[in-house]
Amino acid sequence: MNNSNTASNWPQIPIGKTGQVLGGRQRSPHATGSPQKYLRVANVFDGYIDSSDVFEMPFSEEESKRFLLAPGDILLNEGQSLELVGRSAIYRGDPPDCCFQNTLIRYRANSDVLPEFAQYTFQNFLRLGTFAAIASQTTSIAHLGTGRFAALPMPVPPLDEQRAIASALSDTDALLAKLDQLIAKKRDIKQAAMQELLTGRRRLPGFSDVWRTQKLRDGISLLSGQHVLAEHCNTDEIGCPYITGPSDFQDGKIQHSKFTTSPTTLCQADDILITVKGSGVGTMVMSDGTYCISRQLMAIRVESDWCTQFIHQLLQQDASIIGAAATGLIPGISRSDILNKEIRTPRAAEQTAIAAVLFDMDTEITALEARQEKTRLIKQGMMQELLSGRVRLI
């Protein structure tokens, strides 16, 4: 490996001269011709093609030949939101005998360009905003444009160097795929454990007492959030952190952007915040500090000998049921819906033991997710260095 502080002297060649660029064809189900599988924007994701929902449209024999995909072709989203225009994936022949929609662009590499290298180059263009910079905007849709795409220059190193770069990045992708599978497996294991442990169907060693049916009101207090006027809110970190809804804890962690100088209802660390109005009803998070909460939220505070982490896990398991129970034009659940919810609980010691088992599972999943995110960042750094020629593998 050779490190260099300056970019390589690779030739920068317009994409249209490194391969064939072709826009897709819009088809109607009422057109004449034979049914042909038909990939759309909805099938093309960042680095892979989802073949689980492929349409069929009639194509004439001539059109079918012109727009038929071959393994190794790269499909790019021509019409998409600005941050996603140019999202691309290599067609590997699945499903077979497939054509493509007019909102996609097909790139078929010449013999001196490795499709995998071109694909990583296009992924890098997407992340750097190169495609967004040349796209035209119409309302909420951005269009890459076959002409603008074909005219965009791309670096073209020697073929053996392309292979080395693609191989290095492919190894990182393989690691990410393994981490995806492992995280999914661990989540399934935890879900199965929740269904067994939180219902009492499976008991931990040393516990045999009968579980009791109670209502949440028997062991909690409930704090309703209140609205804070916009004039009392800021993003300058002045005052108390203000949580307005589930958008502030999308990934199970609180990441707020607002503050208020006139706080109303305050939650505290270890309160369970639950969304009770609007979209995301039933979504929950455990508070990690003191926050002002809006009227879209309520705070569940465990006050008896119950274990807060056990109650949180128990309610998380029922989150979809709680959300489905929301009624009205604007979905919502009331204080009584929460306070009168029936739960089955063991004694405090067993609650604590169950919560500890599930917490350990959560910790393992969180560690894997952190490793996954670190690997993604490493891949992005590798793409920046390798695809610019600042770091040479050959």
Side-chain angles (χ1 to χ4, degrees):
M1 181 184 293
N2 178 36
N3 293 284
S4 172
N5 292 324
T6 58
S8 73
N9 57 356
W10 294 338
Q12 299 282 326
I13 303 175
I15 289 173
K17 292 186 177 181
T18 68
Q20 301 172 25
V21 175
L22 179 67
R25 175 58 59 94
Q26 178 68 36
R27 297 300 292 166
S28 163
H30 307 294
T32 58
S34 301
Q36 189 81 48
K37 294 185 183 70
Y38 184 64
L39 290 179
R40 303 161 292 134
V41 165
N43 301 114
V44 178
F45 291 83
D46 187 21
Y48 71 96
I49 290 174
D50 180 5
S51 58
S52 63
D53 182 27
V54 176
F55 284 6
E56 285 193 354
M57 290 290 180
F59 276 77
S60 68
E61 184 177 351
E62 181 180 346
E63 287 177 324
S64 179
K65 289 179 181 178
R66 176 172 170 77
F67 296 100
L68 192 66
L69 292 166
D73 286 348
I74 299 174
L75 289 174
L76 300 97
N77 290 346
E78 192 283 328
Q80 186 60 279
S81 60
L82 191 61
E83 66 272 11
L84 295 179
V85 68
R87 187 168 65 174
S88 61
I90 298 180
Y91 173 72
R92 303 289 186 182
D94 180 33
D97 303 323
C98 227
C99 294
F100 58 104
Q101 190 184 36
N102 65 318
T103 50
L104 294 172
I105 294 174
R106 186 198 73 190
Y107 171 82
R108 181 171 291 170
N110 294 341
S111 59
D112 59 346
V113 175
L114 190 70
E116 288 77 10
F117 174 82
Q119 160 67 7
Y120 283 123
T121 298
F122 299 158
Q123 280 189 324
N124 199 38
F125 283 168
L126 176 69
R127 284 166 174 74
L128 294 175
T130 306
F131 287 146
I134 66 170
S136 64
Q137 186 88 32
T138 58
T139 61
S140 60
I141 301 297
H143 290 278
L144 185 57
T146 55
R148 290 187 296 273
F149 172 70
L152 186 68
M154 66 177 279
V156 183
L159 199 54
D160 57 349
E161 196 163 1
Q162 292 181 39
R163 288 194 185 95
I165 292 170
S167 177
L169 293 173
S170 178
D171 288 345
T172 310
D173 278 340
L175 176 57
L176 284 169
K178 287 181 180 178
L179 287 170
D180 281 339
Q181 294 170 2
L182 185 55
I183 290 170
K185 180 181 178 181
K186 294 295 184 182
R187 285 175 176 160
D188 288 343
I189 291 172
K190 191 215 167 182
Q191 187 62 36
M194 289 175 70
Q195 291 172 357
E196 294 291 311
L197 294 174
L198 295 174
T199 58
R201 288 199 295 265
R202 173 184 158 201
R203 306 295 293 274
L204 293 177
F207 297 102
S208 58
D209 291 339
V210 176
W211 286 33
R212 295 181 297 170
T213 298
Q214 298 175 278
K215 291 185 177 181
L216 270 180
R217 66 168 64 249
D218 296 330
I220 70 161
S221 60
L222 188 61
L223 289 74
S224 296
Q226 298 178 54
H227 179 63
V228 176
L229 295 175
E231 62 198 68
H232 299 308
C233 296
N234 68 86
T235 57
D236 300 322
E237 302 187 12
I238 301 172
C240 179
Y242 180 40
I243 301 179
T244 59
S247 60
D248 291 325
F249 45 89
Q250 293 181 15
D251 299 320
K253 296 179 181 178
I254 295 175
Q255 296 178 322
H256 63 89
S257 58
K258 287 186 178 181
F259 293 77
T260 177
T261 53
S262 297
T264 50
T265 303
L266 295 176
C267 72
Q268 63 188 30
D270 293 334
D271 283 351
I272 303 165
L273 303 183
I274 180 170
T275 308
V276 294
K277 286 183 173 62
S279 60
V281 168
T283 307
M284 280 171 269
V285 71
M286 183 82 78
S287 175
D288 57 3
T290 299
Y291 299 95
C292 176
I293 58 173
S294 76
R295 61 187 174 191
Q296 195 177 355
L297 303 171
M298 289 186 191
I300 297 171
R301 185 170 297 166
V302 176
E303 295 188 331
S304 68
D305 60 352
W306 290 351
C307 171
T308 300
Q309 288 76 16
F310 176 86
I311 299 300
H312 183 216
Q313 296 280 0
L314 193 66
L315 292 176
Q316 274 191 318
Q317 188 184 34
D318 290 345
S320 59
I321 299 174
I322 294 171
T327 59
L329 185 61
I330 299 176
I333 51 179
S334 66
R335 289 178 61 87
S336 61
D337 289 333
I338 297 174
L339 292 170
N340 292 328
K341 179 176 172 54
E342 288 191 344
I343 59 172
R344 291 184 67 243
T345 60
R347 293 186 183 274
E350 189 172 358
Q351 289 185 32
T352 302
I354 291 171
V357 170
L358 297 177
F359 177 80
D360 287 344
M361 291 182 173
D362 281 336
T363 300
E364 186 178 10
I365 292 170
T366 299
L368 287 170
E369 288 172 338
R371 184 183 172 195
Q372 183 185 52
E373 180 59 24
K374 183 178 180 180
T375 304
R376 285 199 185 101
L377 293 174
I378 289 172
K379 181 193 171 184
Q380 290 180 20
M382 289 172 64
M383 291 175 73
Q384 298 272 0
E385 297 296 307
L386 295 176
L387 295 171
S388 66
R390 287 194 292 268
V391 172
R392 308 291 294 273
L393 296 180
I394 295 180

Short mmCIF file of all heavy atoms in Angstrom, two decimals, residues 151-197:
data_model
loop_
_atom_site.label_atom_id
_atom_site.label_comp_id
_atom_site.label_asym_id
_atom_site.label_seq_id
_atom_site.Cartn_x
_atom_site.Cartn_y
_atom_site.Cartn_z
N ALA A 151 -22.11 12.91 -18.80
CA ALA A 151 -21.04 13.91 -18.95
C ALA A 151 -20.18 14.04 -17.70
O ALA A 151 -19.10 14.65 -17.75
CB ALA A 151 -21.66 15.27 -19.29
N LEU A 152 -20.63 13.46 -16.59
CA LEU A 152 -19.89 13.60 -15.33
C LEU A 152 -18.59 12.81 -15.40
O LEU A 152 -18.59 11.62 -15.71
CB LEU A 152 -20.75 13.08 -14.18
CG LEU A 152 -20.21 13.27 -12.76
CD1 LEU A 152 -20.21 14.73 -12.38
CD2 LEU A 152 -21.06 12.45 -11.77
N PRO A 153 -17.44 13.43 -15.12
CA PRO A 153 -16.17 12.69 -15.18
C PRO A 153 -16.00 11.77 -13.97
O PRO A 153 -16.41 12.10 -12.86
CB PRO A 153 -15.12 13.80 -15.18
CG PRO A 153 -15.78 14.98 -14.56
CD PRO A 153 -17.24 14.88 -14.87
N MET A 154 -15.40 10.61 -14.21
CA MET A 154 -15.09 9.68 -13.14
C MET A 154 -13.64 9.23 -13.28
O MET A 154 -13.11 9.15 -14.39
CB MET A 154 -16.03 8.47 -13.16
CG MET A 154 -15.89 7.56 -14.36
SD MET A 154 -16.97 6.09 -14.27
CE MET A 154 -15.98 5.04 -13.18
N PRO A 155 -12.97 8.94 -12.16
CA PRO A 155 -11.58 8.48 -12.24
C PRO A 155 -11.54 7.05 -12.76
O PRO A 155 -12.36 6.21 -12.37
CB PRO A 155 -11.10 8.56 -10.78
CG PRO A 155 -12.35 8.39 -9.98
CD PRO A 155 -13.45 9.02 -10.77
N VAL A 156 -10.59 6.76 -13.63
CA VAL A 156 -10.46 5.41 -14.18
C VAL A 156 -9.01 4.95 -14.06
O VAL A 156 -8.18 5.22 -14.92
CB VAL A 156 -10.92 5.36 -15.66
CG1 VAL A 156 -10.83 3.92 -16.18
CG2 VAL A 156 -12.34 5.89 -15.81
N PRO A 157 -8.67 4.27 -12.95
CA PRO A 157 -7.32 3.72 -12.79
C PRO A 157 -7.17 2.47 -13.66
O PRO A 157 -8.14 1.99 -14.24
CB PRO A 157 -7.26 3.37 -11.30
CG PRO A 157 -8.68 3.11 -10.93
CD PRO A 157 -9.52 4.02 -11.78
N PRO A 158 -5.96 1.91 -13.75
CA PRO A 158 -5.77 0.65 -14.47
C PRO A 158 -6.66 -0.44 -13.90
O PRO A 158 -7.02 -0.43 -12.72
CB PRO A 158 -4.29 0.35 -14.26
CG PRO A 158 -3.66 1.66 -13.96
CD PRO A 158 -4.70 2.45 -13.22
N LEU A 159 -6.99 -1.42 -14.73
CA LEU A 159 -7.95 -2.46 -14.36
C LEU A 159 -7.51 -3.25 -13.13
O LEU A 159 -8.33 -3.58 -12.27
CB LEU A 159 -8.17 -3.40 -15.55
CG LEU A 159 -9.44 -4.26 -15.53
CD1 LEU A 159 -10.68 -3.42 -15.34
CD2 LEU A 159 -9.53 -5.08 -16.81
N ASP A 160 -6.20 -3.55 -13.02
CA ASP A 160 -5.76 -4.32 -11.85
C ASP A 160 -5.92 -3.52 -10.57
O ASP A 160 -6.22 -4.07 -9.50
CB ASP A 160 -4.31 -4.79 -12.03
CG ASP A 160 -3.34 -3.66 -12.26
OD1 ASP A 160 -3.80 -2.52 -12.51
OD2 ASP A 160 -2.12 -3.90 -12.22
N GLU A 161 -5.76 -2.21 -10.65
CA GLU A 161 -5.97 -1.37 -9.47
C GLU A 161 -7.45 -1.25 -9.13
O GLU A 161 -7.84 -1.21 -7.96
CB GLU A 161 -5.35 0.01 -9.69
CG GLU A 161 -5.18 0.80 -8.41
CD GLU A 161 -4.21 1.97 -8.55
OE1 GLU A 161 -3.68 2.19 -9.66
OE2 GLU A 161 -3.99 2.65 -7.54
N GLN A 162 -8.30 -1.21 -10.17
CA GLN A 162 -9.74 -1.23 -9.93
C GLN A 162 -10.13 -2.48 -9.16
O GLN A 162 -10.93 -2.43 -8.22
CB GLN A 162 -10.50 -1.20 -11.26
CG GLN A 162 -10.39 0.09 -12.05
CD GLN A 162 -11.20 0.02 -13.34
OE1 GLN A 162 -12.29 -0.52 -13.37
NE2 GLN A 162 -10.65 0.58 -14.41
N ARG A 163 -9.57 -3.64 -9.55
CA ARG A 163 -9.89 -4.90 -8.89
C ARG A 163 -9.47 -4.87 -7.43
O ARG A 163 -10.20 -5.34 -6.54
CB ARG A 163 -9.21 -6.07 -9.60
CG ARG A 163 -9.79 -6.42 -10.95
CD ARG A 163 -9.31 -7.78 -11.43
NE ARG A 163 -9.78 -8.05 -12.78
CZ ARG A 163 -9.08 -7.81 -13.89
NH1 ARG A 163 -7.85 -7.30 -13.80
NH2 ARG A 163 -9.58 -8.09 -15.06
N ALA A 164 -8.28 -4.34 -7.16
CA ALA A 164 -7.77 -4.29 -5.79
C ALA A 164 -8.66 -3.40 -4.92
O ALA A 164 -8.97 -3.74 -3.77
CB ALA A 164 -6.33 -3.79 -5.79
N ILE A 165 -9.08 -2.26 -5.46
CA ILE A 165 -9.94 -1.33 -4.71
C ILE A 165 -11.29 -1.97 -4.45
O ILE A 165 -11.81 -1.95 -3.32
CB ILE A 165 -10.09 0.00 -5.47
CG1 ILE A 165 -8.76 0.75 -5.50
CG2 ILE A 165 -11.19 0.86 -4.84
CD1 ILE A 165 -8.75 1.95 -6.44
N ALA A 166 -11.88 -2.55 -5.48
CA ALA A 166 -13.19 -3.17 -5.34
C ALA A 166 -13.13 -4.33 -4.35
O ALA A 166 -14.06 -4.54 -3.55
CB ALA A 166 -13.71 -3.66 -6.69
N SER A 167 -12.05 -5.10 -4.37
CA SER A 167 -11.89 -6.23 -3.45
C SER A 167 -11.82 -5.75 -2.00
O SER A 167 -12.46 -6.32 -1.11
CB SER A 167 -10.64 -7.03 -3.81
OG SER A 167 -10.44 -8.07 -2.90
N ALA A 168 -11.06 -4.69 -1.75
CA ALA A 168 -10.93 -4.15 -0.39
C ALA A 168 -12.27 -3.65 0.14
O ALA A 168 -12.65 -3.93 1.29
CB ALA A 168 -9.89 -3.03 -0.37
N LEU A 169 -13.01 -2.94 -0.69
CA LEU A 169 -14.31 -2.41 -0.27
C LEU A 169 -15.34 -3.53 -0.15
O LEU A 169 -16.21 -3.48 0.72
CB LEU A 169 -14.79 -1.34 -1.25
CG LEU A 169 -13.93 -0.07 -1.28
CD1 LEU A 169 -14.38 0.86 -2.40
CD2 LEU A 169 -14.00 0.66 0.07
N SER A 170 -15.22 -4.54 -1.02
CA SER A 170 -16.14 -5.69 -0.94
C SER A 170 -15.95 -6.46 0.37
O SER A 170 -16.92 -6.94 0.96
CB SER A 170 -15.91 -6.61 -2.13
OG SER A 170 -16.74 -7.74 -2.05
N ASP A 171 -14.71 -6.57 0.83
CA ASP A 171 -14.46 -7.24 2.11
C ASP A 171 -15.16 -6.51 3.26
O ASP A 171 -15.71 -7.13 4.18
CB ASP A 171 -12.96 -7.31 2.39
CG ASP A 171 -12.24 -8.31 1.49
OD1 ASP A 171 -12.92 -9.14 0.86
OD2 ASP A 171 -11.00 -8.25 1.40
N THR A 172 -15.15 -5.18 3.20
CA THR A 172 -15.82 -4.39 4.23
C THR A 172 -17.33 -4.57 4.14
O THR A 172 -18.01 -4.69 5.17
CB THR A 172 -15.47 -2.89 4.07
OG1 THR A 172 -14.05 -2.75 3.98
CG2 THR A 172 -15.97 -2.10 5.26
N ASP A 173 -17.86 -4.63 2.92
CA ASP A 173 -19.29 -4.88 2.75
C ASP A 173 -19.67 -6.25 3.31
O ASP A 173 -20.74 -6.42 3.90
CB ASP A 173 -19.66 -4.81 1.26
CG ASP A 173 -19.89 -3.37 0.80
OD1 ASP A 173 -20.14 -2.50 1.65
OD2 ASP A 173 -19.82 -3.14 -0.42
N ALA A 174 -18.81 -7.25 3.10
CA ALA A 174 -19.09 -8.60 3.61
C ALA A 174 -19.16 -8.59 5.13
O ALA A 174 -20.01 -9.26 5.73
CB ALA A 174 -18.02 -9.57 3.12
N LEU A 175 -18.25 -7.83 5.77
CA LEU A 175 -18.27 -7.72 7.23
C LEU A 175 -19.56 -7.04 7.69
O LEU A 175 -20.18 -7.47 8.67
CB LEU A 175 -17.05 -6.93 7.72
CG LEU A 175 -16.98 -6.65 9.22
CD1 LEU A 175 -17.04 -7.94 10.03
CD2 LEU A 175 -15.71 -5.88 9.56
N LEU A 176 -19.98 -5.99 6.99
CA LEU A 176 -21.22 -5.31 7.34
C LEU A 176 -22.42 -6.24 7.20
O LEU A 176 -23.33 -6.23 8.04
CB LEU A 176 -21.41 -4.07 6.45
CG LEU A 176 -20.54 -2.86 6.80
CD1 LEU A 176 -20.63 -1.80 5.70
CD2 LEU A 176 -20.97 -2.26 8.13
N ALA A 177 -22.41 -7.06 6.15
CA ALA A 177 -23.52 -8.01 5.95
C ALA A 177 -23.57 -9.03 7.09
O ALA A 177 -24.66 -9.38 7.58
CB ALA A 177 -23.36 -8.72 4.61
N LYS A 178 -22.40 -9.51 7.53
CA LYS A 178 -22.35 -10.47 8.64
C LYS A 178 -22.86 -9.82 9.93
O LYS A 178 -23.57 -10.45 10.71
CB LYS A 178 -20.94 -10.98 8.83
CG LYS A 178 -20.48 -11.95 7.75
CD LYS A 178 -19.06 -12.45 8.00
CE LYS A 178 -18.61 -13.43 6.93
NZ LYS A 178 -17.22 -13.89 7.13
N LEU A 179 -22.49 -8.56 10.14
CA LEU A 179 -22.96 -7.86 11.33
C LEU A 179 -24.47 -7.65 11.27
O LEU A 179 -25.17 -7.78 12.29
CB LEU A 179 -22.24 -6.52 11.47
CG LEU A 179 -20.78 -6.60 11.92
CD1 LEU A 179 -20.10 -5.24 11.78
CD2 LEU A 179 -20.67 -7.09 13.36
N ASP A 180 -25.01 -7.33 10.08
CA ASP A 180 -26.46 -7.21 9.92
C ASP A 180 -27.15 -8.50 10.33
O ASP A 180 -28.16 -8.48 11.06
CB ASP A 180 -26.81 -6.90 8.45
CG ASP A 180 -26.60 -5.43 8.11
OD1 ASP A 180 -26.58 -4.60 9.04
OD2 ASP A 180 -26.46 -5.11 6.91
N GLN A 181 -26.64 -9.63 9.83
CA GLN A 181 -27.24 -10.93 10.14
C GLN A 181 -27.14 -11.25 11.63
O GLN A 181 -28.10 -11.75 12.23
CB GLN A 181 -26.55 -12.02 9.32
CG GLN A 181 -26.77 -11.91 7.82
CD GLN A 181 -25.89 -12.85 7.02
OE1 GLN A 181 -25.11 -13.63 7.59
NE2 GLN A 181 -25.98 -12.78 5.70
N LEU A 182 -25.99 -10.94 12.22
CA LEU A 182 -25.80 -11.24 13.64
C LEU A 182 -26.72 -10.39 14.51
O LEU A 182 -27.32 -10.88 15.47
CB LEU A 182 -24.33 -11.01 14.02
CG LEU A 182 -23.93 -11.38 15.45
CD1 LEU A 182 -24.28 -12.83 15.76
CD2 LEU A 182 -22.45 -11.12 15.68
N ILE A 183 -26.85 -9.11 14.17
CA ILE A 183 -27.73 -8.22 14.94
C ILE A 183 -29.18 -8.69 14.83
O ILE A 183 -29.92 -8.73 15.82
CB ILE A 183 -27.58 -6.76 14.46
CG1 ILE A 183 -26.21 -6.21 14.88
CG2 ILE A 183 -28.69 -5.88 15.03
CD1 ILE A 183 -25.86 -4.88 14.25
N ALA A 184 -29.59 -9.06 13.61
CA ALA A 184 -30.96 -9.56 13.41
C ALA A 184 -31.20 -10.82 14.23
O ALA A 184 -32.26 -10.99 14.85
CB ALA A 184 -31.21 -9.83 11.93
N LYS A 185 -30.19 -11.71 14.26
CA LYS A 185 -30.32 -12.94 15.04
C LYS A 185 -30.44 -12.65 16.53
O LYS A 185 -31.29 -13.23 17.23
CB LYS A 185 -29.11 -13.84 14.77
CG LYS A 185 -29.13 -15.15 15.53
CD LYS A 185 -27.89 -15.99 15.23
CE LYS A 185 -27.88 -17.29 16.04
NZ LYS A 185 -26.67 -18.10 15.76
N LYS A 186 -29.59 -11.73 17.04
CA LYS A 186 -29.63 -11.38 18.46
C LYS A 186 -30.97 -10.73 18.83
O LYS A 186 -31.50 -10.95 19.92
CB LYS A 186 -28.48 -10.44 18.80
CG LYS A 186 -27.09 -11.07 18.66
CD LYS A 186 -26.86 -12.18 19.65
CE LYS A 186 -25.44 -12.72 19.56
NZ LYS A 186 -25.21 -13.84 20.51
N ARG A 187 -31.52 -9.91 17.91
CA ARG A 187 -32.82 -9.29 18.18
C ARG A 187 -33.92 -10.34 18.25
O ARG A 187 -34.83 -10.26 19.09
CB ARG A 187 -33.13 -8.25 17.10
CG ARG A 187 -32.34 -6.96 17.26
CD ARG A 187 -32.60 -6.02 16.11
NE ARG A 187 -31.92 -4.75 16.28
CZ ARG A 187 -31.64 -3.90 15.30
NH1 ARG A 187 -31.99 -4.20 14.06
NH2 ARG A 187 -31.02 -2.78 15.55
N ASP A 188 -33.85 -11.33 17.35
CA ASP A 188 -34.85 -12.40 17.37
C ASP A 188 -34.75 -13.19 18.68
O ASP A 188 -35.78 -13.57 19.26
CB ASP A 188 -34.63 -13.33 16.18
CG ASP A 188 -35.05 -12.71 14.85
OD1 ASP A 188 -35.79 -11.71 14.88
OD2 ASP A 188 -34.63 -13.22 13.79
N ILE A 189 -33.52 -13.46 19.12
CA ILE A 189 -33.33 -14.19 20.37
C ILE A 189 -33.90 -13.40 21.54
O ILE A 189 -34.59 -13.95 22.42
CB ILE A 189 -31.83 -14.49 20.60
CG1 ILE A 189 -31.33 -15.51 19.58
CG2 ILE A 189 -31.58 -14.98 22.02
CD1 ILE A 189 -29.82 -15.73 19.59
N LYS A 190 -33.65 -12.08 21.53
CA LYS A 190 -34.17 -11.26 22.63
C LYS A 190 -35.70 -11.21 22.60
O LYS A 190 -36.35 -11.29 23.64
CB LYS A 190 -33.61 -9.84 22.54
CG LYS A 190 -33.92 -9.05 23.83
CD LYS A 190 -34.20 -7.61 23.61
CE LYS A 190 -34.81 -6.99 24.86
NZ LYS A 190 -35.17 -5.59 24.70
N GLN A 191 -36.26 -11.11 21.39
CA GLN A 191 -37.72 -11.08 21.29
C GLN A 191 -38.34 -12.36 21.82
O GLN A 191 -39.35 -12.34 22.54
CB GLN A 191 -38.13 -10.86 19.82
CG GLN A 191 -39.62 -10.66 19.60
CD GLN A 191 -40.14 -9.41 20.29
OE1 GLN A 191 -39.47 -8.39 20.37
NE2 GLN A 191 -41.35 -9.50 20.83
N ALA A 192 -37.71 -13.49 21.49
CA ALA A 192 -38.21 -14.77 22.00
C ALA A 192 -38.09 -14.84 23.52
O ALA A 192 -38.99 -15.34 24.21
CB ALA A 192 -37.44 -15.92 21.35
N ALA A 193 -36.97 -14.32 24.05
CA ALA A 193 -36.77 -14.31 25.51
C ALA A 193 -37.81 -13.44 26.19
O ALA A 193 -38.33 -13.80 27.27
CB ALA A 193 -35.36 -13.83 25.83
N MET A 194 -38.14 -12.30 25.59
CA MET A 194 -39.16 -11.42 26.17
C MET A 194 -40.51 -12.14 26.24
O MET A 194 -41.21 -12.07 27.26
CB MET A 194 -39.29 -10.14 25.33
CG MET A 194 -38.12 -9.18 25.45
SD MET A 194 -38.25 -7.77 24.33
CE MET A 194 -39.60 -6.85 25.07
N GLN A 195 -40.86 -12.83 25.15
CA GLN A 195 -42.15 -13.52 25.12
C GLN A 195 -42.23 -14.61 26.18
O GLN A 195 -43.31 -14.89 26.73
CB GLN A 195 -42.38 -14.12 23.73
CG GLN A 195 -42.60 -13.06 22.66
CD GLN A 195 -42.63 -13.64 21.26
OE1 GLN A 195 -42.43 -14.83 21.06
NE2 GLN A 195 -42.87 -12.79 20.27
N GLU A 196 -41.09 -15.23 26.50
CA GLU A 196 -41.07 -16.29 27.50
C GLU A 196 -40.98 -15.74 28.93
O GLU A 196 -41.75 -16.13 29.81
CB GLU A 196 -39.88 -17.23 27.23
CG GLU A 196 -39.97 -18.00 25.93
CD GLU A 196 -41.07 -19.05 25.96
OE1 GLU A 196 -41.11 -19.82 26.94
OE2 GLU A 196 -41.88 -19.09 25.02
N LEU A 197 -40.03 -14.81 29.14
CA LEU A 197 -39.75 -14.34 30.50
C LEU A 197 -40.79 -13.35 31.01
O LEU A 197 -41.11 -13.34 32.21
CB LEU A 197 -38.36 -13.70 30.55
CG LEU A 197 -37.18 -14.64 30.31
CD1 LEU A 197 -35.88 -13.84 30.23
CD2 LEU A 197 -37.09 -15.68 31.43
#
